[in-house]
Amino acid sequence: MTGKTNRQFWFWSGGIFASALFLYLLGDVLLPFVVGMAVAYFLYPVVDALEERGIPRGLAVFGILLLFFAVIVFGLLLILPLLQDQLLAFLDRLPHYIAFLRNLVAPYLEILRDHLKDVDVGRYGGTASGYTAGLISWAGGVVGDLWGSGLALLNLLSLIFIMPIAAFYLLRDWDVIVAHIDGWLPCDHAATIRTQLGLIDETLSGFVRGVSLVCLILAGFYGFFLSLIGLEFGLMVGIASGLISFIPYVGAVIGFIIGTSLALMQFSDLLPVALVAVTYLTGQTAESYLLTPNLVGNRIGLHPAWILLALLAFGALFGFVGVLLAVPLAAVIGVLGRFVIARYLESPYYKGSGNGGEEQR
């Protein structure tokens, strides 16, 4: 490694380390700015289109943000009371569901107990208890982190009051900010960096805009039809399973399991249970063959397992802000990883010196 390459390596490594440390120490403070940046990134193509039609950029930004937040507030006012009622009713009936599952599983546990020695049962029971306690502790820690870093009163107020202001200024000055950053790129590698940034933008735009629309459509579809079937808590289950459909198959599978389980406990007839199953099968089919190909396409390049790993890893490292940044950072790492692998496959480290046959002879 030459002296120039060595200096560049330590410079970029130091920058990455400083950014990670800054994010770790000030994650709570950055929450409204991260959300504002996500909103600005989501809306800036619309603002650019309005500006090209002759509308002043400041006016276009104000109008688009006003419409965007009005839609969100109206949706929350419309849905939240229904979700609150369903959540309280679900918590009220949770002991009944637990008792039902216990009675359902008890005969099989007795059969299992008869085929195992007492010492084995005790050992596996202790292991299961340990895993259960660990899972409960982990879940409690996640909830505590979400409350402490994302849902506490001060952070909630900052989201309400600071985030729209941050989104406004980021949208208004988006082109200026991009031009400044472009001017800071190292001259020797500016073209390569612009190419990789373009790929990152293509990946993120496909995910943030396309997948967001897919999730919203599926949330409305599942929530509407589960409620129409008459499933208790159908609206809550449908919206939740639709919103987590950004990880392919995960939302449909979880919703299918929870929805059919609730239907089996609620209905004595199998027809509603079958309708719940058909709802999720139809939604998944529409997502795979209609929604994702038309709204997202093949531009994402993010494997579902990689998205899930990024959510868990960055959430554990940086809390709720890490969860929000998980997909953008996963896109950056994915694009840069493919770039590094492509360079490696073209390098002597992969191809060798070219005289391997002569050395063998």
Side-chain angles (χ1 to χ4, degrees), residues 23-285:
L23 183 62
Y24 178 78
L25 294 177
L26 298 178
D28 295 350
V29 179
L30 293 176
L31 179 62
F33 299 97
V34 171
V35 178
M37 187 181 301
V39 172
Y41 182 80
F42 186 84
L43 296 177
Y44 87 85
V46 182
V47 173
D48 286 347
L50 292 177
E51 188 180 22
E52 291 176 358
R53 293 177 178 272
I55 300 176
R57 188 171 184 88
L59 182 61
V61 169
F62 181 79
I64 289 298
L65 283 178
L66 185 62
L67 178 62
F68 178 77
F69 289 117
V71 170
I72 291 180
V73 171
F74 177 77
L76 291 177
L77 292 177
L78 185 65
I79 295 176
L80 277 182
L82 298 175
L83 291 179
Q84 181 181 7
D85 293 339
Q86 291 204 353
L87 179 60
L88 293 177
F90 176 77
L91 294 176
D92 183 61
R93 300 209 43 178
L94 186 59
H96 166 73
Y97 293 143
I98 294 175
F100 178 87
L101 293 175
R102 185 185 297 116
N103 294 332
L104 182 66
V105 176
Y108 300 100
L109 292 179
E110 290 296 330
I111 295 174
L112 182 62
R113 185 183 297 272
D114 293 338
H115 287 79
L116 293 175
K117 296 180 181 180
D118 293 339
V119 62
D120 292 333
V121 173
R123 184 180 65 184
Y124 294 135
T127 303
S129 299
Y131 287 145
T132 303
L135 181 61
I136 293 174
S137 176
W138 176 82
V142 170
V143 173
D145 289 341
L146 288 176
W147 175 257
S149 62
L151 299 179
L153 180 60
L154 289 178
N155 285 332
L156 184 60
L157 292 176
S158 69
L159 278 176
I160 295 174
F161 295 105
I162 298 178
M163 183 269 291
I165 298 175
F168 175 83
Y169 285 111
L170 286 171
L171 264 176
R172 191 194 65 176
D173 301 330
W174 188 272
D175 294 334
V176 177
I177 295 172
V178 171
H180 276 297
I181 294 176
D182 184 77
W184 296 338
L185 298 179
C187 297
D188 293 342
H189 308 286
T192 302
I193 294 175
R194 290 190 189 104
T195 301
Q196 300 308 309
L197 289 177
L199 294 174
I200 292 171
D201 178 65
E202 185 178 0
T203 301
L204 278 181
S205 63
F207 190 93
V208 172
R209 301 186 185 97
V211 176
S212 296
L213 289 175
V214 171
C215 291
L216 290 175
I217 293 173
L218 289 176
F221 175 81
Y222 291 143
F224 174 77
F225 280 100
L226 293 181
S227 300
L228 189 64
I229 293 168
L231 180 68
E232 289 182 338
F233 322 118
L235 181 64
M236 181 178 67
V237 174
I239 291 178
S241 57
L243 292 180
I244 61 175
S245 294
F246 63 91
I247 306 176
Y249 305 107
V250 171
V253 170
I254 293 177
F256 179 88
I257 294 173
I258 296 177
T260 53
S261 300
L262 291 174
L264 285 171
M265 288 184 282
Q266 177 183 349
F267 301 107
S268 57
D269 188 6
L270 289 180
L271 179 60
V273 180
L275 290 177
V276 171
V278 168
T279 297
Y280 277 101
L281 292 176
T282 304
Q284 182 58 48
T285 303

Side-chain angles (χ1 to χ4, degrees), residues 312-361:
L312 294 175
F314 290 113
L317 289 174
F318 306 113
F320 189 67
V321 174
V323 173
L324 296 178
L325 291 174
V327 172
L329 292 176
V332 171
I333 295 173
V335 170
L336 295 182
R338 289 191 288 271
F339 172 74
V340 171
I341 291 174
R343 286 297 181 91
Y344 162 72
L345 294 177
E346 297 174 356
S347 70
Y349 294 102
Y350 172 74
K351 295 181 178 180
S353 59
N355 58 357
E358 298 178 1
E359 292 180 359
Q360 289 180 358
R361 288 195 297 269

